[in-house]
Amino acid sequence: FEPSFELHGNRGRWSYYLSANFLESDIGIENPTPSRNASHDHTDQIKSFGYISYLINDTTRAGFYFGTADNRFQIPNNPGQQPQFAYGDIRDFDSARLNENQREITRFGVFSLQGHAGDTDYRVAIGQRYSSVRFDPDVVGDLMFNGVASAVGRGNRANTLQADFSTPLGGAHLLRYGLYADVERAVSSNDSLVFPADADGAQASTAPFPVYDDDRKHAHTIGAYVQDQWQLGDDMALNYGVRADRYSAWITEGQLSPRVGLVWNVARGTVLHAGYARYFTPPPTELIAPADIALYDGTTNQLPNNRTGDVKSERSNYYDVGVSQKLGRHLTLGLDIYRRQVKNLQDEGQFGAALVYSPFNYARGKVRGIEFSANYENGPWSAYFNLAQSRAMGRGIISGQYNFDQEELAYIGSRWVHLDHDQKLEASGGFSYAIGADTRIGGDFVYGSGLRRDFANTASLPAYFQLNLGLTHGFRLPGVGRFEGRLAIINAFDSVYELRDGSGIGVGAPQYGPRRGLFLGLSKDF
């Protein structure tokens, strides 16, 4: 059930937009079982977005943008699991009755000033964003199944400044330049209950005791760039420039990143593009929670090893070349080839019951792929098709090693392994057909050859296919006016397919795709 509304308008120099929606659903998080309905999977979500802008004069506009989200999730249960630990005199627990919950909050606000000064266009914005996540365990159940029950909290508040400028230099050059800065305050907490364990890691007592592992950190990011768009002719444009970044949190890092891109209209309907860019990607500060590993020694949550390293910024060289070809008036084809060479490749994993992801680095990474696209537009018909083949690999874990057992850590250190989200082939497509002015039918599909699974991602899951169908129709009711109705059938064939099986690198739980569902929507303009 998802009611929503949008409100927009303008008056004189003022304009405004506001949207809000509420979602109540029993399909909150991917089902860990192939059943039609997951156990304990309710969600309530409230979201809003809006802006207000004021035209100061003919060339200057001030605006304020804001958004909020308050989302609550039940963590779905996987029935039939057997407890591994005893709690007091309790020896059995029904995993279908676990009561784990998570709440996620986001708020942001941005004030911007956009205008024109002389020959220069500018936009300057200051803002603040806040995000938090809180996982509340089922204390008895989590202790009995996992040997640890952790109340996990993450919070982050960032103050940001962004300024962008563009100035024409003669008739053939457009100079773009700007800067970005933010100051973040990240807070993490892991308040756990654990059992004592003997030297072999076996439970030594059925009475748990608390362990508190909290941390606070300030992070600073600053970046600046300059770029020239050089119009080499009517059919060719060259963009080249450089960006400088510096990130400081647990460690201080920086990089100077050149980039160049060419777009060439080779012939009528044929566009060729090619480019190179060096990227510097700081880790997500809000997800980093340094662990005091020694706190868990001699407990049922003792970590697989005592090795750890700070999460580092990713550094990559990205190469891309592609062509777009229009065939006749209605069909456009595209082909794109890309390759990334990466140092300190970033990835994220779920290493516990909470749906709070922890970032870590591979020492090296290599990513390559080729993508084909087709788009068709002709009167009432529109259609698209995409097909991609890719390979994403990493080698050597250099941060967050304590999340991995020693055998897997050694294997990844000596071999290239697939990333958990890697699959060889992906495809998607869809069509839409207008039946008169008020009715439109359509459908879309998604296909994947299967994500990774098993020890060090050495195997893959079976391929999957999902077809969705839709219908929209406009109609009038006497005394009420015009409505638009929307009917959607998700997973029309009711295909049962598994996205994750709970194994692989950083995969904490199995996940299945949605079963067949029927959704009805109604909207009305006032």
Side-chain angles (χ1 to χ4, degrees):
F1 176 65
E2 188 175 10
S4 64
F5 78 91
E6 297 181 5
L7 180 67
H8 55 89
N10 60 80
R11 185 171 185 177
R13 294 178 176 269
W14 292 92
S15 61
Y16 60 90
Y17 174 84
L18 177 67
S19 68
N21 72 280
F22 168 75
L23 170 65
E24 181 180 9
S25 175
D26 288 328
I27 311 174
I29 297 172
E30 286 89 349
N31 193 342
T33 74
S35 64
R36 186 170 301 278
N37 298 302
S39 169
H40 195 260
D41 197 17
H42 188 81
T43 182
D44 292 314
Q45 303 178 26
I46 302 173
K47 301 175 183 177
S48 68
F49 171 78
Y51 77 81
I52 301 171
S53 69
Y54 178 71
L55 193 63
I56 298 173
N57 55 44
D58 290 344
T59 61
T60 310
R61 180 186 297 273
F64 178 67
Y65 305 79
F66 62 91
T68 66
D70 188 341
N71 304 329
R72 300 169 187 260
F73 300 91
Q74 294 179 335
I75 306 301
N77 296 327
N78 193 355
Q81 306 303 302
Q82 296 301 313
Q84 304 299 309
F85 303 89
Y87 180 85
D89 58 358
I90 304 175
R91 296 293 185 270
D92 194 20
F93 195 102
D94 183 0
S95 62
R97 298 179 66 85
L98 280 167
N99 185 25
E100 300 170 329
N101 298 276
Q102 189 158 305
R103 183 181 183 184
E104 302 172 2
I105 296 174
T106 301
R107 297 191 294 267
F108 73 87
V110 179
F111 175 79
S112 69
L113 186 67
Q114 182 178 2
H116 189 78
D119 292 332
T120 299
D121 291 321
Y122 65 87
R123 181 169 185 149
V124 180
I126 57 173
Q128 184 179 96
R129 67 178 187 270
Y130 171 79
S131 62
S132 70
V133 58
R134 172 76 181 186
F135 171 81
D136 293 312
D138 184 310
V139 174
V140 176
D142 281 14
L143 280 167
M144 295 186 67
F145 287 104
N146 306 316
V148 57
S150 296
V152 178
R154 301 284 186 272
N156 183 273
R157 187 180 300 276
N159 297 296
T160 63
L161 167 67
Q162 182 169 336
D164 298 282
F165 307 89
S166 62
T167 304
L169 301 176
H173 295 269
L174 179 62
L175 188 67
R176 294 187 173 94
Y177 48 99
L179 61 88
Y180 173 83
D182 80 14
V183 178
E184 299 178 60
R185 183 178 183 271
V187 177
S188 65
S189 64
N190 292 274
D191 300 336
S192 305
L193 285 171
V194 294
F195 295 116
D198 60 24
D200 296 324
Q203 183 178 3
S205 170
T206 61
F209 67 92
V211 174
Y212 302 105
D213 187 7
D214 302 337
D215 188 77
R216 286 164 172 75
K217 191 69 177 180
H218 282 87
H220 302 82
T221 304
I222 186 166
Y225 72 93
V226 60
Q227 175 180 304
D228 178 35
Q229 178 180 310
W230 184 7
Q231 198 69 36
L232 297 171
D234 293 338
D235 299 324
M236 185 179 296
L238 179 70
N239 285 277
Y240 60 96
V242 65
R243 181 183 177 95
D245 292 281
R246 184 178 184 273
Y247 173 76
S248 177
W250 291 267
I251 57 178
T252 299
E253 304 173 281
Q255 181 175 286
L256 199 64
S257 306
R259 51 204 53 185
V260 59
L262 178 71
V263 178
W264 180 20
N265 293 304
V266 180
R268 185 175 181 180
T270 306
V271 180
L272 176 71
H273 70 266
Y276 160 80
R278 182 157 174 77
Y279 289 105
F280 176 81
T281 309
T285 307
E286 67 274 12
L287 294 181
I288 301 176
D292 188 348
I293 301 171
L295 290 173
Y296 298 99
D297 288 349
T299 76
T300 49
N301 192 44
Q302 183 165 327
L303 297 166
N305 62 77
N306 60 2
R307 296 173 59 188
T308 184
D310 291 318
V311 181
K312 299 174 176 60
S313 298
E314 181 178 287
R315 305 167 187 267
S316 62
N317 294 301
Y318 185 93
Y319 307 87
D320 177 88
V321 61
V323 62
S324 173
Q325 177 66 56
K326 191 162 187 177
L327 301 178
R329 298 170 52 193
H330 309 297
L331 180 63
T332 302
L333 304 179
L335 187 68
D336 196 79
I337 302 171
Y338 63 89
R339 183 180 182 88
R340 288 178 61 212
Q341 299 170 326
V342 191
K343 180 181 178 182
N344 304 334
L345 173 68
Q346 288 183 26
D347 204 349
E348 296 175 1
Q350 182 188 350
F351 301 103
L355 285 174
V356 179
Y357 297 102
S358 300
F360 63 93
N361 296 103
Y362 292 90
R364 290 187 290 161
K366 53 185 181 181
V367 182
R368 60 173 173 80
I370 181 169
E371 300 176 350
F372 168 79
S373 64
N375 289 278
Y376 179 80
E377 296 278 351
N378 185 10
W381 285 98
S382 65
Y384 70 93
F385 175 75
N386 301 297
L387 176 66
Q389 188 275 332
S390 65
R391 175 68 61 87
M393 311 285 286
R395 180 168 181 165
I397 305 293
I398 58 172
S399 63
Q401 297 97 322
Y402 54 81
N403 289 310
F404 301 84
D405 63 51
Q406 197 57 47
E407 183 182 3
E408 190 172 45
L409 206 59
Y411 186 93
I412 299 171
S414 61
R415 297 171 177 84
W416 289 97
V417 299
H418 293 270
L419 305 188
D420 67 279
H421 55 269
D422 187 30
Q423 56 184 345
K424 187 175 182 179
L425 290 174
E426 301 173 47
S428 63
F431 78 96
S432 175
Y433 177 69
I435 306 174
D438 294 326
T439 306
R440 181 176 291 271
I441 60 172
D444 60 66
F445 77 89
V446 62
Y447 164 85
S449 59
L451 297 173
R452 307 305 300 184
R453 64 183 293 267
D454 272 358
F455 174 82
N457 292 342
T458 50
S460 62
L461 287 158
Y464 59 89
F465 175 87
Q466 179 178 314
L467 175 69
N468 310 308
L469 300 173
L471 167 70
T472 63
H473 178 67
F475 59 94
R476 292 183 177 275
L477 293 177
V480 181
R482 180 180 171 82
F483 280 85
E484 182 176 270
R486 300 181 302 278
L487 182 66
I489 304 175
I490 303 301
N491 193 358
F493 294 150
D494 199 23
S495 302
V496 179
Y497 62 93
E498 195 171 22
L499 294 168
R500 310 275 191 178
D501 70 353
S503 69
I505 299 173
V507 178
Q511 295 176 340
Y512 281 80
R515 298 293 297 271
R516 180 165 52 212
L518 185 67
F519 297 84
L520 174 67
L522 292 172
S523 64
K524 177 172 174 55
D525 292 336
F526 294 91

mmCIF file of all heavy atoms in Angstrom, residues 247 250-251 253 280-284 288 308-315 343-347 359-363 397-401:
data_model
loop_
_atom_site.group_PDB
_atom_site.id
_atom_site.type_symbol
_atom_site.label_atom_id
_atom_site.label_comp_id
_atom_site.label_asym_id
_atom_site.label_seq_id
_atom_site.Cartn_x
_atom_site.Cartn_y
_atom_site.Cartn_z
ATOM 1 N N TYR A 247 41.818 13.227 0.717
ATOM 2 C CA TYR A 247 40.885 12.648 1.685
ATOM 3 C C TYR A 247 41.644 12.317 2.951
ATOM 4 O O TYR A 247 42.735 11.726 2.905
ATOM 5 C CB TYR A 247 40.242 11.387 1.110
ATOM 6 C CG TYR A 247 39.395 10.611 2.088
ATOM 7 C CD1 TYR A 247 38.128 11.057 2.443
ATOM 8 C CD2 TYR A 247 39.865 9.422 2.648
ATOM 9 C CE1 TYR A 247 37.338 10.334 3.331
ATOM 10 C CE2 TYR A 247 39.083 8.698 3.532
ATOM 11 C CZ TYR A 247 37.828 9.159 3.873
ATOM 12 O OH TYR A 247 37.052 8.442 4.757
ATOM 13 N N TRP A 250 41.030 7.990 8.657
ATOM 14 C CA TRP A 250 41.939 7.114 9.378
ATOM 15 C C TRP A 250 43.341 7.197 8.789
ATOM 16 O O TRP A 250 44.325 7.012 9.485
ATOM 17 C CB TRP A 250 41.418 5.680 9.344
ATOM 18 C CG TRP A 250 40.172 5.535 10.155
ATOM 19 C CD1 TRP A 250 40.096 5.160 11.458
ATOM 20 C CD2 TRP A 250 38.837 5.798 9.734
ATOM 21 N NE1 TRP A 250 38.781 5.176 11.882
ATOM 22 C CE2 TRP A 250 37.982 5.556 10.847
ATOM 23 C CE3 TRP A 250 38.251 6.220 8.536
ATOM 24 C CZ2 TRP A 250 36.604 5.714 10.787
ATOM 25 C CZ3 TRP A 250 36.891 6.378 8.481
ATOM 26 C CH2 TRP A 250 36.083 6.130 9.590
ATOM 27 N N ILE A 251 43.416 7.438 7.496
ATOM 28 C CA ILE A 251 44.684 7.732 6.830
ATOM 29 C C ILE A 251 44.455 8.923 5.909
ATOM 30 O O ILE A 251 43.316 9.264 5.591
ATOM 31 C CB ILE A 251 45.223 6.519 6.024
ATOM 32 C CG1 ILE A 251 44.183 6.054 4.994
ATOM 33 C CG2 ILE A 251 45.616 5.386 6.948
ATOM 34 C CD1 ILE A 251 44.654 4.916 4.134
ATOM 35 N N GLU A 253 45.170 10.557 2.164
ATOM 36 C CA GLU A 253 45.524 10.165 0.810
ATOM 37 C C GLU A 253 45.157 11.277 -0.155
ATOM 38 O O GLU A 253 44.317 12.129 0.150
ATOM 39 C CB GLU A 253 44.776 8.895 0.403
ATOM 40 C CG GLU A 253 44.971 7.709 1.312
ATOM 41 C CD GLU A 253 44.069 6.554 0.923
ATOM 42 O OE1 GLU A 253 42.876 6.601 1.266
ATOM 43 O OE2 GLU A 253 44.563 5.632 0.256
ATOM 44 N N PHE A 280 39.891 8.720 -8.351
ATOM 45 C CA PHE A 280 40.264 8.587 -6.944
ATOM 46 C C PHE A 280 38.961 8.544 -6.159
ATOM 47 O O PHE A 280 38.214 9.530 -6.128
ATOM 48 C CB PHE A 280 41.128 9.775 -6.512
ATOM 49 C CG PHE A 280 41.498 9.796 -5.058
ATOM 50 C CD1 PHE A 280 42.550 9.022 -4.579
ATOM 51 C CD2 PHE A 280 40.805 10.598 -4.160
ATOM 52 C CE1 PHE A 280 42.896 9.048 -3.243
ATOM 53 C CE2 PHE A 280 41.150 10.635 -2.823
ATOM 54 C CZ PHE A 280 42.198 9.859 -2.353
ATOM 55 N N THR A 281 38.650 7.402 -5.545
ATOM 56 C CA THR A 281 37.357 7.198 -4.892
ATOM 57 C C THR A 281 37.554 6.926 -3.410
ATOM 58 O O THR A 281 37.949 5.810 -3.029
ATOM 59 C CB THR A 281 36.602 6.023 -5.534
ATOM 60 O OG1 THR A 281 36.557 6.194 -6.955
ATOM 61 C CG2 THR A 281 35.195 5.927 -4.985
ATOM 62 N N PRO A 282 37.319 7.903 -2.540
ATOM 63 C CA PRO A 282 37.440 7.655 -1.098
ATOM 64 C C PRO A 282 36.437 6.622 -0.633
ATOM 65 O O PRO A 282 35.366 6.453 -1.227
ATOM 66 C CB PRO A 282 37.164 9.034 -0.473
ATOM 67 C CG PRO A 282 37.429 10.017 -1.559
ATOM 68 C CD PRO A 282 37.026 9.319 -2.832
ATOM 69 N N PRO A 283 36.727 5.910 0.459
ATOM 70 C CA PRO A 283 35.784 4.925 0.976
ATOM 71 C C PRO A 283 34.573 5.611 1.602
ATOM 72 O O PRO A 283 34.647 6.781 1.996
ATOM 73 C CB PRO A 283 36.598 4.169 2.035
ATOM 74 C CG PRO A 283 37.636 5.153 2.475
ATOM 75 C CD PRO A 283 37.964 5.973 1.256
ATOM 76 N N PRO A 284 33.444 4.899 1.708
ATOM 77 C CA PRO A 284 32.247 5.478 2.342
ATOM 78 C C PRO A 284 32.449 5.602 3.852
ATOM 79 O O PRO A 284 32.367 4.615 4.581
ATOM 80 C CB PRO A 284 31.139 4.483 1.987
ATOM 81 C CG PRO A 284 31.854 3.190 1.748
ATOM 82 C CD PRO A 284 33.209 3.534 1.213
ATOM 83 N N ILE A 288 32.446 2.727 7.629
ATOM 84 C CA ILE A 288 33.668 2.221 8.248
ATOM 85 C C ILE A 288 33.508 2.211 9.763
ATOM 86 O O ILE A 288 33.167 3.226 10.372
ATOM 87 C CB ILE A 288 34.884 3.071 7.841
ATOM 88 C CG1 ILE A 288 35.044 3.061 6.315
ATOM 89 C CG2 ILE A 288 36.146 2.551 8.496
ATOM 90 C CD1 ILE A 288 36.149 3.945 5.812
ATOM 91 N N THR A 308 44.400 -6.820 10.261
ATOM 92 C CA THR A 308 43.514 -5.730 9.852
ATOM 93 C C THR A 308 44.338 -4.653 9.177
ATOM 94 O O THR A 308 45.542 -4.506 9.400
ATOM 95 C CB THR A 308 42.765 -5.140 11.056
ATOM 96 O OG1 THR A 308 41.844 -4.146 10.580
ATOM 97 C CG2 THR A 308 43.712 -4.482 12.043
ATOM 98 N N GLY A 309 43.690 -3.904 8.325
ATOM 99 C CA GLY A 309 44.304 -2.757 7.664
ATOM 100 C C GLY A 309 43.248 -1.706 7.428
ATOM 101 O O GLY A 309 42.062 -2.022 7.306
ATOM 102 N N ASP A 310 43.651 -0.442 7.394
ATOM 103 C CA ASP A 310 42.696 0.628 7.160
ATOM 104 C C ASP A 310 42.145 0.560 5.739
ATOM 105 O O ASP A 310 42.873 0.263 4.783
ATOM 106 C CB ASP A 310 43.373 1.983 7.373
ATOM 107 C CG ASP A 310 43.729 2.226 8.831
ATOM 108 O OD1 ASP A 310 42.906 1.910 9.695
ATOM 109 O OD2 ASP A 310 44.845 2.724 9.103
ATOM 110 N N VAL A 311 40.839 0.854 5.597
ATOM 111 C CA VAL A 311 40.220 0.904 4.274
ATOM 112 C C VAL A 311 40.802 2.083 3.507
ATOM 113 O O VAL A 311 40.865 3.205 4.015
ATOM 114 C CB VAL A 311 38.693 1.031 4.388
ATOM 115 C CG1 VAL A 311 38.058 1.051 2.999
ATOM 116 C CG2 VAL A 311 38.127 -0.114 5.214
ATOM 117 N N LYS A 312 41.215 1.839 2.276
ATOM 118 C CA LYS A 312 41.917 2.837 1.474
ATOM 119 C C LYS A 312 41.057 3.340 0.324
ATOM 120 O O LYS A 312 40.098 2.685 -0.095
ATOM 121 C CB LYS A 312 43.224 2.240 0.926
ATOM 122 C CG LYS A 312 44.206 1.784 2.012
ATOM 123 C CD LYS A 312 45.399 1.084 1.405
ATOM 124 C CE LYS A 312 46.419 0.728 2.474
ATOM 125 N NZ LYS A 312 45.836 -0.183 3.493
ATOM 126 N N SER A 313 41.421 4.484 -0.193
ATOM 127 C CA SER A 313 40.756 5.032 -1.375
ATOM 128 C C SER A 313 41.123 4.208 -2.597
ATOM 129 O O SER A 313 42.264 3.760 -2.756
ATOM 130 C CB SER A 313 41.168 6.491 -1.592
ATOM 131 O OG SER A 313 40.780 7.297 -0.500
ATOM 132 N N GLU A 314 40.147 4.024 -3.463
ATOM 133 C CA GLU A 314 40.372 3.279 -4.692
ATOM 134 C C GLU A 314 40.998 4.185 -5.746
ATOM 135 O O GLU A 314 40.600 5.328 -5.920
ATOM 136 C CB GLU A 314 39.049 2.712 -5.193
ATOM 137 C CG GLU A 314 39.150 1.883 -6.452
ATOM 138 C CD GLU A 314 37.808 1.315 -6.878
ATOM 139 O OE1 GLU A 314 37.325 0.373 -6.210
ATOM 140 O OE2 GLU A 314 37.241 1.824 -7.865
ATOM 141 N N ARG A 315 41.969 3.650 -6.480
ATOM 142 C CA ARG A 315 42.630 4.384 -7.558
ATOM 143 C C ARG A 315 42.511 3.543 -8.832
ATOM 144 O O ARG A 315 42.874 2.371 -8.830
ATOM 145 C CB ARG A 315 44.101 4.634 -7.230
ATOM 146 C CG ARG A 315 44.320 5.346 -5.892
ATOM 147 C CD ARG A 315 45.789 5.280 -5.473
ATOM 148 N NE ARG A 315 45.999 5.813 -4.133
ATOM 149 C CZ ARG A 315 46.320 7.069 -3.857
ATOM 150 N NH1 ARG A 315 46.467 7.937 -4.853
ATOM 151 N NH2 ARG A 315 46.522 7.460 -2.614
ATOM 152 N N LYS A 343 43.844 -0.161 -8.363
ATOM 153 C CA LYS A 343 44.645 -0.383 -7.162
ATOM 154 C C LYS A 343 43.747 -0.090 -5.959
ATOM 155 O O LYS A 343 42.996 0.870 -5.960
ATOM 156 C CB LYS A 343 45.875 0.533 -7.154
ATOM 157 C CG LYS A 343 46.756 0.365 -5.923
ATOM 158 C CD LYS A 343 47.935 1.318 -5.976
ATOM 159 C CE LYS A 343 48.797 1.175 -4.720
ATOM 160 N NZ LYS A 343 49.947 2.129 -4.726
ATOM 161 N N ASN A 344 43.832 -0.926 -4.938
ATOM 162 C CA ASN A 344 42.975 -0.790 -3.745
ATOM 163 C C ASN A 344 41.491 -0.873 -4.120
ATOM 164 O O ASN A 344 40.679 -0.050 -3.687
ATOM 165 C CB ASN A 344 43.243 0.523 -3.005
ATOM 166 C CG ASN A 344 44.687 0.711 -2.602
ATOM 167 O OD1 ASN A 344 45.406 -0.265 -2.418
ATOM 168 N ND2 ASN A 344 45.122 1.950 -2.492
ATOM 169 N N LEU A 345 41.141 -1.863 -4.919
ATOM 170 C CA LEU A 345 39.755 -2.038 -5.356
ATOM 171 C C LEU A 345 38.826 -2.140 -4.153
ATOM 172 O O LEU A 345 39.017 -2.964 -3.264
ATOM 173 C CB LEU A 345 39.641 -3.300 -6.210
ATOM 174 C CG LEU A 345 38.223 -3.726 -6.620
ATOM 175 C CD1 LEU A 345 37.616 -2.718 -7.590
ATOM 176 C CD2 LEU A 345 38.228 -5.112 -7.222
ATOM 177 N N GLN A 346 37.798 -1.292 -4.114
ATOM 178 C CA GLN A 346 36.844 -1.304 -3.012
ATOM 179 C C GLN A 346 35.702 -2.278 -3.279
ATOM 180 O O GLN A 346 35.200 -2.378 -4.397
ATOM 181 C CB GLN A 346 36.258 0.093 -2.790
ATOM 182 C CG GLN A 346 37.206 1.094 -2.186
ATOM 183 C CD GLN A 346 36.521 2.431 -1.943
ATOM 184 O OE1 GLN A 346 35.313 2.499 -1.769
ATOM 185 N NE2 GLN A 346 37.302 3.492 -1.950
ATOM 186 N N ASP A 347 35.293 -2.970 -2.222
ATOM 187 C CA ASP A 347 34.107 -3.811 -2.265
ATOM 188 C C ASP A 347 33.451 -3.732 -0.892
ATOM 189 O O ASP A 347 34.025 -3.184 0.051
ATOM 190 C CB ASP A 347 34.481 -5.254 -2.618
ATOM 191 C CG ASP A 347 33.317 -6.026 -3.230
ATOM 192 O OD1 ASP A 347 32.179 -5.513 -3.195
ATOM 193 O OD2 ASP A 347 33.544 -7.142 -3.719
ATOM 194 N N PRO A 359 33.007 -2.021 4.186
ATOM 195 C CA PRO A 359 33.905 -1.935 3.039
ATOM 196 C C PRO A 359 35.256 -2.585 3.320
ATOM 197 O O PRO A 359 35.707 -2.638 4.469
ATOM 198 C CB PRO A 359 34.050 -0.416 2.826
ATOM 199 C CG PRO A 359 33.793 0.175 4.172
ATOM 200 C CD PRO A 359 32.846 -0.734 4.873
ATOM 201 N N PHE A 360 35.875 -3.092 2.265
ATOM 202 C CA PHE A 360 37.234 -3.627 2.347
ATOM 203 C C PHE A 360 37.892 -3.442 0.986
ATOM 204 O O PHE A 360 37.232 -3.082 -0.001
ATOM 205 C CB PHE A 360 37.234 -5.101 2.783
ATOM 206 C CG PHE A 360 36.539 -6.042 1.825
ATOM 207 C CD1 PHE A 360 37.248 -6.701 0.828
ATOM 208 C CD2 PHE A 360 35.170 -6.256 1.911
ATOM 209 C CE1 PHE A 360 36.607 -7.562 -0.056
ATOM 210 C CE2 PHE A 360 34.517 -7.113 1.033
ATOM 211 C CZ PHE A 360 35.249 -7.767 0.044
ATOM 212 N N ASN A 361 39.205 -3.670 0.927
ATOM 213 C CA ASN A 361 39.962 -3.470 -0.311
ATOM 214 C C ASN A 361 40.614 -4.754 -0.784
ATOM 215 O O ASN A 361 41.145 -5.531 0.016
ATOM 216 C CB ASN A 361 41.081 -2.441 -0.127
ATOM 217 C CG ASN A 361 40.603 -1.061 0.201
ATOM 218 O OD1 ASN A 361 40.680 -0.645 1.351
ATOM 219 N ND2 ASN A 361 40.141 -0.328 -0.792
ATOM 220 N N TYR A 362 40.564 -4.964 -2.084
ATOM 221 C CA TYR A 362 41.500 -5.867 -2.748
ATOM 222 C C TYR A 362 42.745 -5.046 -3.131
ATOM 223 O O TYR A 362 42.625 -3.868 -3.479
ATOM 224 C CB TYR A 362 40.897 -6.454 -4.014
ATOM 225 C CG TYR A 362 39.757 -7.406 -3.815
ATOM 226 C CD1 TYR A 362 38.448 -6.941 -3.767
ATOM 227 C CD2 TYR A 362 39.981 -8.772 -3.697
ATOM 228 C CE1 TYR A 362 37.382 -7.822 -3.598
ATOM 229 C CE2 TYR A 362 38.915 -9.658 -3.538
ATOM 230 C CZ TYR A 362 37.619 -9.171 -3.489
ATOM 231 O OH TYR A 362 36.573 -10.032 -3.334
ATOM 232 N N ALA A 363 43.903 -5.664 -3.083
ATOM 233 C CA ALA A 363 45.124 -4.947 -3.464
ATOM 234 C C ALA A 363 45.059 -4.494 -4.913
ATOM 235 O O ALA A 363 45.433 -3.366 -5.246
ATOM 236 C CB ALA A 363 46.354 -5.835 -3.236
ATOM 237 N N ILE A 397 43.402 -9.438 -0.259
ATOM 238 C CA ILE A 397 42.651 -8.594 0.683
ATOM 239 C C ILE A 397 43.648 -7.811 1.535
ATOM 240 O O ILE A 397 44.513 -8.407 2.188
ATOM 241 C CB ILE A 397 41.738 -9.442 1.587
ATOM 242 C CG1 ILE A 397 40.801 -10.314 0.751
ATOM 243 C CG2 ILE A 397 40.953 -8.548 2.538
ATOM 244 C CD1 ILE A 397 39.788 -9.555 -0.039
ATOM 245 N N ILE A 398 43.538 -6.473 1.560
ATOM 246 C CA ILE A 398 44.507 -5.655 2.295
ATOM 247 C C ILE A 398 43.856 -4.793 3.368
ATOM 248 O O ILE A 398 44.552 -4.011 4.029
ATOM 249 C CB ILE A 398 45.315 -4.761 1.335
ATOM 250 C CG1 ILE A 398 44.385 -3.842 0.530
ATOM 251 C CG2 ILE A 398 46.191 -5.608 0.417
ATOM 252 C CD1 ILE A 398 45.127 -2.793 -0.289
ATOM 253 N N SER A 399 42.547 -4.918 3.581
ATOM 254 C CA SER A 399 41.879 -4.227 4.693
ATOM 255 C C SER A 399 40.712 -5.084 5.152
ATOM 256 O O SER A 399 40.129 -5.834 4.365
ATOM 257 C CB SER A 399 41.409 -2.831 4.286
ATOM 258 O OG SER A 399 40.432 -2.894 3.266
ATOM 259 N N GLY A 400 40.371 -4.973 6.440
ATOM 260 C CA GLY A 400 39.281 -5.771 6.986
ATOM 261 C C GLY A 400 39.524 -7.260 6.907
ATOM 262 O O GLY A 400 38.576 -8.054 6.830
ATOM 263 N N GLN A 401 40.803 -7.673 6.979
ATOM 264 C CA GLN A 401 41.119 -9.093 6.828
ATOM 265 C C GLN A 401 40.493 -9.958 7.905
ATOM 266 O O GLN A 401 40.269 -11.156 7.702
ATOM 267 C CB GLN A 401 42.643 -9.302 6.849
ATOM 268 C CG GLN A 401 43.398 -8.631 5.705
ATOM 269 C CD GLN A 401 43.964 -7.285 6.106
ATOM 270 O OE1 GLN A 401 43.324 -6.538 6.845
ATOM 271 N NE2 GLN A 401 45.153 -6.967 5.619
#
